[in-house]
Amino acid sequence: MKALYPGSFDPLTFGHLDLIQRGSDLFGEVLIAVLENPSKKATFPCERRIEQIKNATRDISGCRTIAFKGLTVDCAREHNADLILRGLRAMSDFEYELQVAHTNRSLNNQYETIFLATETHHSFLSSSLVKEVARFGGEIRHMVPEFIAKDLLALNTN
């Protein structure tokens, strides 16, 4: 089976990597779909986020990374995905993720959304939290891979 794992991944965290690894183990193939959202100001350009993800996932079998614009269900159809994979950190994520899953289902009922709970030790992680900590010079190497930490720290020293 092929799972589509959509998101902005700005930046990729160890929580994301946990879901990618577990998704690959469960489904055999994970297509990491990096959203190019022109209405959001990304910290890293889409091309750089894809490079970061490819570097971080090079030892995980069965995963591939692409960029996409538009609707998740259209991306899933275009790339022959069997399902949509989403992560849940806390109960607060559930309400939003359920709404998105229902919306996707209303747009194309071919796609089920499968939720995986993040490992407990990653449950506090979010890309926005990582960026905030990095902005103020805090330690983030336990939150993101080393090369992503360096990218974030370089942004904040310029």
Side-chain angles (χ1 to χ4, degrees):
M1 292 191 84
K2 183 191 295 185
L4 180 78
Y5 182 31
S8 60
F9 306 104
D10 189 36
L12 179 81
T13 70
F14 284 131
H16 294 127
L17 281 172
D18 169 53
L19 289 178
I20 293 165
Q21 178 66 66
R22 290 167 53 216
S24 177
D25 293 344
L26 286 167
F27 306 113
E29 188 175 351
V30 175
L31 182 59
I32 305 154
V34 181
L35 178 63
E36 293 184 79
N37 187 345
S39 64
K40 268 186 151 181
K41 171 126 174 56
T43 303
F44 295 107
C46 188
E47 301 79 31
R48 182 63 186 144
R49 287 180 276 154
I50 289 172
E51 289 171 17
Q52 291 169 338
I53 294 166
K54 285 181 177 179
N55 190 8
T57 60
R58 67 182 177 273
D59 295 328
I60 300 174
S61 65
C63 67
R64 195 165 52 97
T65 307
I66 60 159
F68 85 102
K69 296 177 184 174
L71 298 172
T72 299
V73 291
D74 291 343
C75 180
R77 186 182 66 248
E78 179 182 338
H79 293 279
N80 299 311
D82 298 297
L83 58 94
I84 297 167
L85 174 64
R86 297 295 293 167
L88 298 172
R89 294 170 297 195
M91 197 62 192
S92 55
D93 287 345
F94 182 74
E95 191 171 336
Y96 171 76
E97 291 295 344
L98 185 62
Q99 182 180 22
V100 171
H102 286 312
T103 301
N104 286 335
R105 197 82 172 131
S106 78
L107 294 170
N108 186 331
N109 66 5
Q110 173 185 345
Y111 294 105
E112 295 287 352
T113 299
I114 303 297
F115 300 108
L116 288 181
T118 306
E119 290 287 346
T120 305
H121 60 280
H122 295 308
S123 63
F124 70 97
L125 285 176
S126 71
S127 294
S128 55
L129 177 114
V130 170
K131 290 185 282 193
E132 186 76 9
V133 172
R135 185 176 301 118
F136 292 105
E139 180 56 57
I140 58 171
R141 286 182 296 227
H142 62 294
M143 300 176 188
V144 296
E146 178 72 29
F147 56 90
I148 294 175
K150 286 180 181 175
D151 280 356
L152 281 166
L153 295 173
L155 287 176
N156 293 311
T157 57
N158 292 333

